[in-house]
Amino acid sequence: MNDVIDKETTGNTEAALKLDGFLPYTLNVCSNQVSQALSRIYADRYKIGVPEWRVLVTLGEFGMMTAKAIGHHSCMHKTKVSRAVALLERRKLVARRANRADLREAFLSLTPAGRDVYDELAPMALDFAEQLLSVVDPADRAALDRALKKLIDRSSQINDDIANPRGPR
Amino acid sequence: MNDVIDKETTGNTEAALKLDGFLPYTLNVCSNQVSQALSRIYADRYKIGVPEWRVLVTLGEFGMMTAKAIGHHSCMHKTKVSRAVALLERRKLVARRANRADLREAFLSLTPAGRDVYDELAPMALDFAEQLLSVVDPADRAALDRALKKLIDRSSQINDDIANPRGPR
DNA sequence: TATTGTTATACTCTATAACTATA
DNA sequence: TATAGTTATAGAGTATAACAATA
């Protein structure tokens, strides 16, 4: 009927909250769509999920590391890493070697079979990311990257503050 | 030991896949951190999750609509909308009115209590988004928005193509 | 037959804490 | 006591399909 009336009877001058254009919502939708599109590269082919994918890629990049290091690098809780590694071990894609200097931890790495999978998937994933980015104006790509990293820093900081009031020790 | 040797014995010239800086990963981490930070505004206070939050915000913006329209506007499946609405109805935050022109659907809207909740939460959510964005270089903000929307379009298209090979009818 | 919306089912995912082994 | 990692548990969330009512 009318464009402007009755948005608020309380006389607010602020911008109204709209889901469309609300950053947390846009980010979530974007992340979900992109994750789902990416997952078709590895999910159907190898029956693995995001945690396994991350372990694979992390070991593919770094060669050998502990579960703790994998978790730190890929933003995953140790239980999630543990289960992902266990699954990849069962599939003979990841192998473990005890650290004789500290028997609590173990060095994990890709087996030859795991390396084969990685070598098959990595170029496809890179290609996927490239295709995706191709729809973004080249001038906007660096800005996107900068912005996402800043947003991660800021929101992680907020979350840490809540988990640990009065500052981390 | 060495920076460059043995990255690949197969002589690849492509950039290696690194989780850090891989767009789908960055997006996922960013979205999760931001969602978690935002949820402290509504999750603890009202014991609701993302679907309920989205229904609340959608009805707050549009006033009255069907479950189907809510789902379409907030990118949620009808079962998710149905359950979120059911929960909000139990809490007396959302009311339904039959559509006499089509009895299959119903018009949903916020009750006065639901409007109160919305009026309390909306400014906090807007403030949160503003604070978040404040860490992003003003020159990058528009680029971020454009990029996210393009990425959503492109990845949704990819997903639709998979769900519906040979193009939608 | 198609559409709106609800419910049932089974499945996956997740968080938490408890636990083992080692330091 | 603290840390690396695993396992147990229970709860949340999910997808799918089946279903009822209406068109």
Side-chain angles (χ1 to χ4, degrees):
Chain A
M1 299 293 188
N2 190 305
D3 276 327
V4 192
I5 59 162
D6 209 356
K7 186 83 221 168
E8 272 287 323
T9 326
T10 51
N12 77 332
T13 51
E14 296 172 40
L17 174 58
K18 291 184 194 143
L19 215 47
D20 179 53
F22 184 58
L23 184 61
Y25 169 74
T26 312
L27 272 172
N28 183 278
V29 171
C30 186
S31 167
N32 289 343
Q33 295 286 354
V34 169
S35 279
Q36 203 192 319
L38 171 65
S39 77
R40 99 190 140 120
I41 290 177
Y42 58 77
D44 289 334
R45 212 176 304 242
Y46 293 108
K47 302 293 174 209
I48 57 175
V50 171
E52 291 79 18
W53 162 253
R54 287 189 185 173
V55 170
L56 214 54
V57 172
T58 302
L59 289 178
E61 181 186 350
F62 293 99
M64 174 170 282
M65 61 202 311
T66 65
K68 184 189 172 108
I70 293 174
H72 186 260
H73 183 259
S74 61
C75 281
M76 297 197 294
H77 193 266
K78 60 179 182 173
T79 60
K80 201 177 279 190
V81 175
S82 175
R83 289 186 169 109
V85 167
L87 187 148
L88 293 172
E89 258 190 299
R90 260 177 268 132
R91 305 253 182 101
K92 313 282 187 205
L93 302 178
V94 163
R96 86 174 54 215
R97 215 193 65 201
N99 174 13
R100 285 204 273 176
D102 185 343
L103 290 173
R104 291 174 302 181
E105 66 186 15
F107 296 124
L108 302 163
S109 58
L110 296 180
T111 61
R115 174 62 60 177
D116 286 346
V117 172
Y118 175 79
D119 286 342
E120 180 194 350
L121 293 183
M124 300 176 74
L126 282 167
D127 188 63
F128 170 83
E130 208 174 285
Q131 266 189 262
L132 248 197
L133 262 181
S134 73
V135 303
V136 175
D137 190 313
D140 288 353
R141 288 173 202 167
L144 172 65
D145 234 62
R146 272 195 303 273
L148 289 177
K149 277 176 178 139
K150 294 262 194 184
L151 291 173
I152 290 173
D153 287 347
R154 180 75 184 104
S155 50
S156 301
Q157 184 196 320
I158 293 173
N159 289 325
D160 290 349
D161 285 355
I162 298 162
N164 198 351
R166 292 277 148 227
R169 211 86 333 251
Chain B
M1 301 295 187
N2 189 306
D3 276 326
V4 191
I5 59 159
D6 209 356
K7 187 83 221 170
E8 273 288 322
T9 325
T10 52
N12 77 333
T13 52
E14 296 171 41
L17 174 57
K18 291 184 193 139
L19 215 47
D20 179 54
F22 184 59
L23 184 60
Y25 169 74
T26 313
L27 272 171
N28 184 277
V29 172
C30 186
S31 168
N32 289 342
Q33 294 287 354
V34 169
S35 278
Q36 204 192 317
L38 170 65
S39 77
R40 99 191 139 119
I41 290 177
Y42 58 76
D44 289 335
R45 211 176 305 243
Y46 292 109
K47 302 293 173 205
I48 58 176
V50 172
E52 292 77 20
W53 162 253
R54 288 190 183 173
V55 169
L56 215 55
V57 172
T58 302
L59 289 178
E61 180 185 351
F62 292 99
M64 174 171 281
M65 61 202 312
T66 65
K68 183 190 173 103
I70 293 174
H72 185 261
H73 183 259
S74 61
C75 282
M76 296 197 294
H77 193 265
K78 61 180 182 173
T79 58
K80 200 176 280 189
V81 176
S82 175
R83 290 188 169 107
V85 167
L87 187 150
L88 293 171
E89 259 190 297
R90 260 177 267 133
R91 303 253 182 99
K92 312 281 186 208
L93 301 178
V94 162
R96 83 174 56 215
R97 214 193 65 200
N99 174 14
R100 285 205 274 178
D102 184 344
L103 291 174
R104 290 174 304 182
E105 65 185 17
F107 295 124
L108 302 164
S109 58
L110 296 179
T111 61
R115 173 62 61 178
D116 286 346
V117 172
Y118 175 80
D119 286 342
E120 180 194 352
L121 293 183
M124 299 176 75
L126 282 167
D127 188 61
F128 170 83
E130 208 173 284
Q131 267 191 259
L132 248 197
L133 261 182
S134 73
V135 303
V136 175
D137 190 313
D140 289 352
R141 287 173 203 167
L144 172 65
D145 233 63
R146 274 195 302 274
L148 290 177
K149 275 174 180 142
K150 294 263 194 182
L151 291 173
I152 290 173
D153 286 347
R154 179 76 184 104
S155 51
S156 301
Q157 185 196 320
I158 292 173
N159 289 325
D160 289 349
D161 286 354
I162 298 163
N164 198 351
R166 294 275 148 226
R169 216 98 319 262

